[in-house]
Structures are given as C-alpha cells and as structure tokens.
Amino acid sequence: MSRASGPGPAQGGFLTREVGFSVEGRPLLSGISLDLAPGRFVGLIGHNGSGKSTLLKILARQQEAGSGEAKFGGQPLTAWPARGFACEIAYLPQTLPAATGLTVRELASFGRYPWRGPFGRLTEQDRAIVEEAMGRCRVEPFAERIVDTLSGGERQRAWLAMLVAQDAGFLLLDEPVSALDLAQQVEVLGLLRNLAEGGKGVVAVLHDINMAARFCHEIVALRAGRVIRRGRPDEIMDGEALEAIYGLPMQVMTQPGAGHPVALPR
C-alpha cells in the first residue's frame, strides 16, 4: 500500500523522557522514558489503572503530558501541525466514536482525509487504498452497511479499516481486539504484526499476555504508572517477571506443537 503525496514521513519514532501525568494531584504516570521505533509491534500490558491508556493518549496528542518531554520524529509533539501529525499517527481509542449515518466504506474513506483535506476529492489511488484496507480488515461483505448497525466486532474492524487506509507511519491502538472473538483476535493481531514488519510502528494496549507474547516484537509492562519491565516476549514470559507485573504467581509453559510460551495463574 503506497502513501499518497503529503507531508514527508518523520524520521525515527517516539521518544519520551520522564513523562508524567496527574489528575487532581493523583499521579497516573511517573517517569516514563521510552523510545518506540518504526518496524516494531509493541504491546502495552499491565493491570487496570496502570497507565496504559493514559500513555497512549499522550503519544496520540489526545492529552498533553503534565511533565517531562515527548517527541515524535525528533520534534516535540506540540510542534507538529495537526494535518502533518494526522498523516503520521493513526489512533484508535478504547471507546469508539459514533459513526452516525456512515457506511463502512465511507468510514474507511475518512482515513484518506489527512492526505486530501476534508474538502479534497479522493483520487483513484485513494479509493484503491480504501478498498485494500477493507480487504485486509475483512469488512468488504458489509461495506455498504451503516456502521452503527454492525456487531461490536464488525464495528471495531470497520474502524481498523479506516486506520489502515490512513496509511500513517505509526498506529496507536487502545484495546483493538476487545470486542473480537478468538479467531478475529488472531486475524487482527496478525495484521498488525504484518504492518509492523512492513515498516510501520504499532503500539497497542493489550490485556491478554499470551496474545501479546505471540504477536508482539516487544512488550512494555506498566504498574502503578511506571514502566517496570520491557523486553522481548521471551524475556517477559517469565514467572518472576509476570508476578511483578500482575501481582500474582504465574506459571509459564511452552505450547505443545507451536512452541509459543503460555502463562497461567498458579
């Protein structure tokens, strides 16, 4: 899938240094220092309230860091013009917005707006990108249906199609498989890994550590607003590390036949 003409791609990825964020004096994030490069699928894991969604919102410029610095492509996030940032960063929130009256194809076409502007006409290349995105997210069978009439899983895949059509350099996704059945989860996470291996950066909040270990190149674990572990799946899938992350004893086994590590509570 080729990127349409527009602002040039940013060199590098995200860089945060000592990023913090508080609400009414209660810290949600403290001392977050990360570098997130393109070409990697990074899973953010941790218990509820650990700061995963807050961190993703800061990276997506949905909220500003309370302290520290956050950069993308070597520039502070606040220095990016809105359209240029939208061409580089695609964000899928945990709670999907309403898509009142839109068909799946129309929603997916919105992914091209950062490149053309809200009043720009889509080119044949844009339409081909939209069709390819719908195909990759397997939403073509209901392309003409109204988004808000779809099941939760179908609606989530429709929004994913919009993100894929946006063709941004980085995808930030908050629980992108929460409404999907097991087969759909495997399909979508496989798609995200393929996008990362094609050169895009992917950062996703995930709740299932076994799915994260199977599909992510790297895992970042948060607890109480701090990064407490970061590494390859084989480094995180360790009983001691998982107990530190989740606060309960965990046992790690190798899945027979596939060789994937699987974690279970003791």
Side-chain angles (χ1 to χ4, degrees), residues 86-133:
C87 288
E88 293 300 331
I89 308 298
Y91 170 62
L92 186 69
Q94 183 176 342
T95 302
L96 299 177
T100 307
L102 293 177
T103 66
V104 170
R105 178 172 278 111
E106 289 169 338
L107 177 63
S109 297
F110 278 6
R112 302 308 303 156
Y113 282 11
W115 300 98
R116 299 301 175 198
F119 304 109
R121 296 185 61 180
L122 298 185
T123 66
E124 287 303 314
Q125 182 189 20
D126 291 321
R127 294 189 182 92
I129 289 172
V130 169
E131 294 300 317
E132 183 180 348

Side-chain angles (χ1 to χ4, degrees), residues 219-233:
I219 294 173
V220 174
L222 281 79
R223 186 173 177 87
R226 294 183 177 275
V227 174
I228 62 166
R229 290 287 193 282
R230 178 179 184 175
R232 300 185 311 270

Side-chain angles (χ1 to χ4, degrees), residues 71-205:
K71 296 181 177 182
F72 178 74
Q75 299 185 61
L77 296 186
T78 53
W80 277 84
R83 186 179 173 190
F85 194 74
C87 288
E88 293 300 331
I89 308 298
Y91 170 62
L92 186 69
Q94 183 176 342
T95 302
L96 299 177
T100 307
L102 293 177
T103 66
V104 170
R105 178 172 278 111
E106 289 169 338
L107 177 63
S109 297
F110 278 6
R112 302 308 303 156
Y113 282 11
W115 300 98
R116 299 301 175 198
F119 304 109
R121 296 185 61 180
L122 298 185
T123 66
E124 287 303 314
Q125 182 189 20
D126 291 321
R127 294 189 182 92
I129 289 172
V130 169
E131 294 300 317
E132 183 180 348
M134 290 196 300
R136 297 185 77 172
C137 295
R138 296 180 65 108
V139 295
E140 322 104 297
F142 37 92
E144 303 307 325
R145 287 182 57 188
I146 300 298
V147 173
D148 288 345
T149 67
L150 303 176
S151 70
E154 290 169 341
R155 189 162 59 250
Q156 198 152 13
R157 284 157 56 202
W159 281 94
L160 281 169
M162 187 197 75
L163 257 68
V164 174
Q166 190 172 335
D167 200 19
F170 255 86
L171 283 72
L172 306 175
L173 309 101
D174 197 348
E175 300 188 33
V177 295
S178 61
L180 305 182
D181 62 34
L182 186 58
Q184 293 169 341
Q185 289 182 39
V186 170
E187 193 170 44
V188 167
L189 293 174
L191 167 63
L192 294 177
R193 184 176 175 101
N194 287 340
L195 289 172
E197 291 179 345
K200 297 188 183 299
V202 179
V203 182
V205 172

Side-chain angles (χ1 to χ4, degrees), residues 200-238:
K200 297 188 183 299
V202 179
V203 182
V205 172
L206 300 172
H207 275 296
D208 189 329
I209 181 59
N210 293 316
M211 285 294 191
R214 178 172 175 180
F215 289 99
C216 293
H217 296 104
E218 189 173 9
I219 294 173
V220 174
L222 281 79
R223 186 173 177 87
R226 294 183 177 275
V227 174
I228 62 166
R229 290 287 193 282
R230 178 179 184 175
R232 300 185 311 270
D234 63 294
E235 294 171 325
I236 300 297
M237 293 295 276
D238 169 81

